Amino acid sequence: MPVITSTAPGKIILFGEHAVVYGQPAIAVPINSLHAKATIRADIHGTPGQVRLSAHDVGLDDTLKNLSPNNPLAAALRGVLSALELDSSPSCIIRVTSTIPIAAGLGSSAAISVALIRGFSAFLGHPLPDEQVSDLAYSVEKIHHGTPSGIDNTVITYAKPVYYVRGEPISTLTIAKPFSLTIADTGIPSPTSITVGDVRRAWEAEPQRYERMFAKVGEITRSARNIIESGLPDRLGLLMDQNHELLVEMGVSSPELNSLVSTAKHAGALGAKLSGGGRGGNMIALVKPNLSEEIVQALREYGAVRTIFTRVGA
Ligand code: PMV
């Protein structure tokens, strides 16, 4: 039996994080320079039916049988077996690797799920269609995040820019003119479930104030979509700044993120904001490629532990 290899990209949210959990639109794009990979090979000498799973990045090396229902990687594999109405799999060894930083808002958990679900279903002879891959990855995201909006599994499964509204059919986005982003990592891991939970409690305490902020983010995201589709991406900078201010007001930024945002702006970025759950993880800056080196240098001086340059729509 041939070795099956399946990959899935990272992602970054451009607009609409948090508000998307409450029904507002969000925009996210894949990052193809980062990826998760699942490699699956039949183990002809293995115990019949034994699935061995190793993911050294997260210190996992065990058999599927021994892994708890709450283990997200095991849940992805069990989800495939159940979708295919199978009780067991031929004996195999599954290796998972990823270049996507963990808990940094770059979609690492969803990318691992998508790579595993695609690879394992192909290994079993029934590659699942995208819609089912995305749905299964969503159910695994719930283990990580509690109440995820579904944006991560969607953008990563389809590997295309998406305009995402919870519960609505997928809508991909045409990038009329490519633009450049510098992504900078605070180096502070920040589990999304915590910030999502904090926003929920704050919304419960002050529903009107939070609803107003979510609605403003929704307007910003709709304008961003028009700008992206009409090929005037420089205008996204102002919208990124406005979206960041609202995220600060929601309580999900941090001194480190704010400092990287203002550093990028002072160094010439057209706009900048935190991306993803917040508190730690990454910020994104809209940059002119000719200024990107200076911006990267400034971000590094002010504490960014990693920067990634990406062309969106190129
Ligand atoms: O931290 P990330 O990139 O996985 O993004 C979380 C985005 C939120 O809107 C905060 C939560 C969600 O499920 O959409």
Side-chain angles (χ1 to χ4, degrees):
M1 201 177 277
V3 175
I4 302 278
T5 300
S6 163
T7 60
K11 73 99 216 323
I12 195 94
I13 295 181
L14 300 189
F15 292 96
E17 50 276 270
H18 288 291
V20 67
V21 176
Y22 300 83
Q24 298 293 339
I27 294 174
V29 296
I31 304 199
N32 294 316
S33 58
L34 300 174
H35 65 266
K37 181 157 105 179
T39 309
I40 307 176
R41 69 180 75 236
D43 185 8
I44 41 172
H45 305 298
T47 312
Q50 178 171 283
V51 175
R52 175 157 284 280
L53 181 59
S54 81
H56 290 145
D57 299 343
V58 289
L60 177 77
D61 189 5
D62 212 335
T63 58
L64 180 57
K65 189 165 64 61
N66 286 340
L67 293 169
S68 92
N70 280 337
N71 180 293
L73 283 73
L77 298 176
R78 292 195 183 109
V80 171
L81 288 172
S82 124
L84 298 176
E85 298 180 7
L86 294 171
D87 294 328
S88 63
S89 149
S91 180
C92 61
I93 299 173
I94 304 179
R95 272 186 222 296
V96 178
T97 55
S98 174
T99 61
I100 309 172
I102 295 169
L106 294 170
S108 125
S109 58
I112 288 174
S113 296
V114 168
L116 269 177
I117 293 164
R118 280 221 176 98
F120 195 42
S121 62
F123 174 78
L124 295 169
H126 299 280
L128 292 172
D130 285 345
E131 203 181 332
Q132 228 175 334
V133 171
S134 185
D135 285 351
L136 274 179
Y138 178 68
S139 57
V140 179
E141 285 294 282
K142 286 192 201 158
I143 301 176
H144 287 283
H145 293 177
T147 54
S149 63
I151 190 166
D152 281 20
N153 49 286
T154 304
V155 63
I156 287 169
T157 299
Y158 292 90
K160 292 200 175 113
V162 296
Y163 178 85
Y164 180 80
V165 182
R166 194 171 187 170
E168 289 188 7
I170 159 150
S171 162
T172 55
L173 200 61
T174 307
I175 312 281
K177 185 172 171 204
F179 53 94
S180 306
L181 294 177
T182 293
I183 302 167
D185 193 344
T186 58
I188 301 167
S190 175
T192 301
S193 55
I194 294 182
T195 51
V196 169
D198 287 353
V199 170
R200 182 162 298 276
R201 277 182 288 279
W203 167 69
E204 279 162 2
E206 294 182 276
Q208 283 172 352
R209 181 166 159 245
Y210 271 75
E211 294 287 348
R212 265 198 305 276
M213 290 190 269
F214 297 149
K216 281 190 200 159
V217 172
E219 269 169 47
I220 290 172
T221 305
R222 279 185 284 275
S223 306
R225 177 191 198 164
N226 288 337
I227 287 174
I228 290 171
E229 291 186 328
S230 35
L232 300 162
D234 287 0
R235 294 194 188 167
L236 292 175
L238 180 61
L239 295 177
M240 287 167 75
D241 295 344
Q242 291 170 347
N243 196 161
H244 183 71
E245 279 314 310
L246 286 159
L247 290 160
V248 170
E249 250 186 84
M250 279 178 213
V252 296
S253 194
S254 67
E256 294 82 1
L257 281 165
N258 293 341
S259 154
L260 291 183
V261 163
S262 54
T263 300
K265 298 267 320 241
H266 281 122
L270 300 173
K273 65 183 274 294
L274 73 82
S275 175
R279 298 266 167 79
N282 283 278
M283 58 74 75
I284 52 174
L286 181 69
V287 300
K288 289 282 187 198
N290 61 334
L291 278 182
S292 80
E293 263 316 303
E294 283 155 52
I295 293 171
V296 163
Q297 232 172 341
L299 287 167
R300 290 231 173 229
E301 265 165 44
Y302 279 82
V305 298
R306 184 189 308 103
T307 57
I308 298 167
F309 177 79
T310 185
R311 289 277 290 160
V312 178

